[in-house]
Amino acid sequence: MADRRRRKFWGWGYEDEQPGRAEVEETAALARDMLGFGGTEVRTPPRLEDIHLPDSRLKAPASLSGIVTADPYERVSHAYGKSYRDVVRAFHGEFPHPPDLVALPRDEKETAAVLEWCAEANAAVIPYGGGTSVTGGVEPLVGDAYAGTVTLDLGRLSGVVEVDPVSASARILAGTTLPDADAQLRPHGLTLRHYPQSYVHATVGGSIVTRAGGHYATGRTHIDEFVQSVRALTPAGPWESRRLPASGAGPSPDRILIGSEGVLGVVTEAWLRVQDRPLHRASASVRHRTFAEGARAARAVVRSGLQPANCRLLDPGEALLNGAGDGTSAVLILGFESARHPQETLLSQALECVREHGGEPVGEPRISRPEDADATQRGGQAPEQQWKDGFQAAPYLRDTLVATGILVETFETAVTWNRFDELDEAVLQAARRAAEAACGTSVVNRRLTHVYPDGAAVYYTVLAPARRGSETAQWDAVKAAVSEAILGAGGTITHHHAVGRDHRPWYDRQRPDPFAAALDAVKGELDPHRILNPGVLLPAPERSGPSAAHVLTRTRLLP
């Protein structure tokens, strides 16, 4: 099982991408100078041989010996997701409850065998895609009702199996990373066009079960809109929906699995809508006096019927940190793209619209034509390119901020336009007060990530000095305050980061009680022993075995 390129077990990216000590110290110094806080000592990440792990409580049968392991690297690298809270604990070498075993099946048959054994052994199963969860969705923290935990890594169920160019869709295995999916679609002239910040490591299956949102600000913003059909394995049997462009036949079986976060079944493959690769692009950036003015301009653009691929608004502080502005004005980034048609006219219409709302375009628009559409544009000074570079580098930068004692966390939500100003002010003030109370001082920035005719998604970034050994307590205080403000102002606890374990207290309050009962009943039918990701979306059982109301005659997972 050592044939894969190894990712850092404590942070973001691969081990061979970790910058050297001198580079880390230089970046840390720049961050301290810009923010005005951070420790002077840059700490060194832990070594695997220095990590103490509790003994595994489980022993897999010989029939699974080729795909199930208790290897220390696999256990620690599957112990957490990639939130700040996860990274800081891993950086400090804290692994009190890693999975007892990690399973790496190569196909559905082996996946089914793992699930069947886990049900017999009363082992909780944590489905695992790219491990990029920032909400505690893959942490094996399941309570005392189980004999142990098994993380089920779907990474080997990988590949674009079938392409249907007539219907513009593709059948893709769940463990396929988004870059691999795009690389395999490229020879067909196609792309999935789903681009979250976690793109490098995110998987197709992980995107589906977390209802992941991509980078594109309008149009198909969430993975929901890509799905034609889904296939999953559940402890009660396989689940596969009919592949259709649309259907009015009752509640959708796909929609129950989309966003289910591994509690109802293990997604193994899906038919997804794809599209021709964009060849024409046009982009520009616009300065606005205030964030509120920029938000009104963004709303006007989408309400006018235009659907820019990118319509992202950065407040002055966010623009400064990302190199997209000088910190004196908000920056609205606009971008259009198409496989067939030049985009200059649409961009001109959008710029005319934002000018009516006080916007001042920065420089000349950037135009990309078919002959250079796939060329990587790096090193330019355009604000939109500076932002894109910063967007892609942010997860790597966070590792350095953790090393230098800077707390960094993000909170995202969505709300209708009529409540937007109230929510924005409430969350901004709650984040500042909580961070300053817990940390002494802070920098809080925000940006619009997605813009709809009826509302928008807004994303807050909190940076503050972290106290060694108290980082998780500081994080907890800020998280609770911001989450309360979001719910109190009528927003959703998450727009595109999923629920996991971290958002559960507020998700429980957001959803209607009858829906929670109905979801619990579905869980009982599909997963009678409740072994799948306990504690996510629904409470983990307090005792082992199926509840009296959900005892089923066990069926084989595959015929």
Side-chain angles (χ1 to χ4, degrees), residues 12-238:
W12 185 263
Y14 293 102
E15 290 179 337
D16 55 24
E17 293 177 319
Q18 175 64 16
R21 175 78 181 182
E23 184 179 348
V24 171
E25 290 183 342
E26 180 181 0
T27 303
L30 290 172
R32 286 194 300 268
D33 289 344
M34 179 171 286
L35 297 172
F37 50 75
T40 56
E41 176 193 1
V42 177
R43 300 188 65 181
T44 302
R47 300 180 305 168
L48 180 62
E49 53 267 33
D50 295 330
I51 303 298
H52 172 74
L53 296 178
D55 293 337
S56 176
R57 297 166 292 178
L58 297 171
K59 182 176 177 58
S63 60
L64 298 178
S65 61
I67 58 173
V68 176
T69 180
D71 175 74
Y73 168 78
E74 296 293 353
R75 291 181 69 195
V76 297
S77 63
H78 289 85
Y80 295 124
K82 291 295 181 284
S83 70
Y84 169 81
R85 188 169 184 266
D86 295 332
V87 172
V88 77
R89 287 181 293 170
F91 190 88
H92 292 326
E94 299 171 5
F95 293 91
H97 45 76
D100 293 281
L101 298 171
V102 176
L104 299 110
R106 293 161 290 200
D107 54 32
E108 275 199 358
K109 183 177 180 180
E110 291 181 346
T111 304
V114 171
L115 288 178
E116 288 173 355
W117 172 70
C118 288
E120 294 167 358
N122 186 34
V125 178
I126 313 297
Y128 188 100
T132 62
S133 170
V134 293
T135 61
V138 296
E139 184 176 354
L141 187 61
V142 301
D144 300 326
Y146 300 92
T149 57
V150 176
T151 292
L152 181 61
D153 187 324
L154 279 297
R156 291 182 172 181
L157 274 71
S158 178
V160 176
V161 179
E162 188 175 352
V163 175
D164 176 1
V166 176
S167 307
S169 53
R171 181 162 68 97
I172 309 177
L173 297 182
T176 312
T177 66
L178 299 181
D180 283 349
D182 276 331
Q184 292 175 52
L185 290 168
R186 181 183 288 270
H188 302 274
L190 301 170
T191 177
L192 183 58
R193 195 186 178 269
H194 180 62
Y195 193 75
Q197 191 174 33
S198 58
Y199 175 80
V200 173
H201 299 297
T203 64
V204 166
S207 297
I208 290 171
V209 300
T210 58
R211 292 188 71 185
H215 155 64
Y216 293 97
T218 66
R220 293 177 184 169
T221 60
H222 278 72
I223 198 69
D224 311 36
E225 298 151 305
F226 296 76
V227 173
Q228 279 187 335
S229 68
V230 180
R231 177 172 172 83
L233 299 182
T234 81

Side-chain angles (χ1 to χ4, degrees), residues 5 16 62 75-76 97 134 174 181 191 203 229 292 311 313 316 320 333 353 387 433 481 484 519 526 538 554:
R5 185 184 180 194
D16 55 24
R75 291 181 69 195
V76 297
H97 45 76
V134 293
T191 177
T203 64
S229 68
C311 185
L313 176 67
L320 177 63
I333 296 171
C353 184
W387 168 81
R433 287 194 299 267
E484 288 294 328
L519 180 61
L526 297 177
L538 295 164
R554 288 193 63 240

Side-chain angles (χ1 to χ4, degrees), residues 282 284 306 334 336 343-355 365 367:
L306 296 171
L334 294 169
F336 291 82
Q343 299 294 286
E344 292 92 324
T345 299
L346 293 177
L347 178 61
S348 294
Q349 292 172 350
L351 291 176
E352 180 180 348
C353 184
V354 299
R355 283 190 184 99
I367 307 301

